[in-house]
Amino acid sequence: MTLKRKNHVLICLEEKNYSCKVLLKGALLARKYGYTFEVVFFCSIESRYTMFHLLNLAESKKLSKRLGAARFTIKQMKNERNIAKELVKMEKNDNLKEIIMSGAQPKNSLRNLLWRRTFFYDKYHYILKSMPNIVLVLINHSEYNPFEKEEYKNGREGYLVRENDEKTSYFLSHKHFRKKDIPGLFFQKKGTNERNGIFAFIHNERVRYAHIHHGKTSKRI
């Protein structure tokens, strides 16, 4: 099934970059000009799905639905070249006006020799060359941090461990002990020690948050 729209925007997200900024800007542009929009989330076939990737995906999917996306699609691609070719293919099915995507290049690419950078495959150049009538908007991504007020540091992987089978309280740990332990990302509150903040995790296919005080939470999970 393909979406046939008069004016349509495609927002491209990536597993390795926190997508909130790109998604919000793309949805805002679509709404401003009265366009419909859909979201495609690109994943690597060879990727090891860490909690970072899963939370980024879950947050992006939830936010896309809230913003009124016509469709949210997950596509597994082998490399940058395949992503660019997939976008050109999608343009033939939908009447796209704009493509919104992350425009950040890897910092280590600047260390390469000049001739390597000259012949390095550029997916943005390929897209514009293949679709000359498209408007390509590039937005720098940000690190994974779902809190807009910037009161918390970027998350690091950790676990919620239950004290015993009789109690519902959990304590924060950076090591995995049992299968019952809940994996997630801990966001330390700025200006405090590492035992205070918010723990983000996935439960029943939904993103949940637990406030951590002095290394513990009493949240019922």
Side-chain angles (χ1 to χ4, degrees), residues 15-205:
E15 62 177 0
K16 58 186 177 181
N17 303 325
Y18 182 50
S19 310
C20 179
K21 183 178 179 181
V22 178
L23 181 52
L24 286 172
K25 289 288 183 67
L28 184 63
L29 286 172
R31 186 177 300 174
K32 180 179 179 180
Y33 296 106
Y35 295 172
T36 57
F37 75 95
E38 67 174 299
V39 181
V40 57
F41 193 97
F42 288 108
C43 301
S44 171
I45 294 177
E46 301 175 352
S47 174
R48 180 179 71 88
Y49 289 97
T50 64
M51 184 54 60
F52 170 89
H53 295 142
L54 294 175
L55 279 167
N56 189 17
L57 173 59
E59 283 281 356
S60 300
K61 191 173 183 179
K62 181 177 68 174
L63 185 57
S64 297
K65 183 178 180 180
R66 194 171 71 190
L67 292 172
R71 182 169 61 184
F72 184 93
T73 308
I74 301 173
K75 290 185 178 291
Q76 288 187 312
M77 296 285 125
K78 187 176 181 180
N79 51 39
E80 298 277 295
R81 189 182 300 271
N82 286 14
I83 290 177
K85 289 183 177 180
E86 179 65 20
L87 290 176
V88 174
K89 178 181 176 183
M90 293 178 70
E91 191 272 340
K92 295 179 180 179
N93 296 328
D94 300 330
N95 186 20
L96 294 180
K97 292 295 183 182
E98 296 186 29
I99 295 179
I100 317 291
M101 63 193 309
S102 171
Q105 293 282 10
K107 292 182 180 179
N108 57 5
S109 66
L110 298 177
R111 300 176 185 175
N112 291 334
L113 297 174
L114 178 61
W115 70 269
R116 285 183 178 273
R117 279 184 275 156
T118 303
F119 292 98
F120 181 75
Y121 178 76
D122 189 341
K123 65 181 177 183
Y124 311 118
H125 177 72
Y126 177 85
I127 292 170
L128 290 173
K129 186 177 179 181
S130 303
M131 298 181 284
N133 296 323
I134 205 76
V135 176
L136 179 62
V137 181
L138 303 180
I139 300 173
N140 288 335
H141 69 269
S142 58
E143 294 184 66
Y144 184 86
N145 195 331
F147 309 106
E148 297 178 1
K149 296 181 180 180
E150 298 183 355
E151 295 179 359
Y152 298 87
K153 296 181 180 180
N154 290 314
R156 63 176 186 270
E157 291 192 285
Y159 300 89
L160 285 184
V161 180
R162 199 153 84 173
E163 292 184 321
N164 57 57
D165 293 335
E166 297 179 358
K167 294 184 178 182
T168 58
S169 59
Y170 291 78
F171 67 89
L172 177 68
S173 173
H174 301 301
K175 294 182 179 180
H176 178 62
F177 297 103
R178 302 174 296 180
K179 290 184 178 180
K180 295 181 181 179
D181 299 343
I182 302 172
L185 292 182
F186 174 67
F187 299 87
Q188 178 184 336
K189 189 170 184 178
K190 293 181 179 179
T192 64
N193 61 35
E194 59 181 12
R195 293 168 56 81
N196 295 279
I198 294 180
F199 188 84
F201 60 100
I202 296 177
H203 183 66
N204 292 336
E205 298 184 353

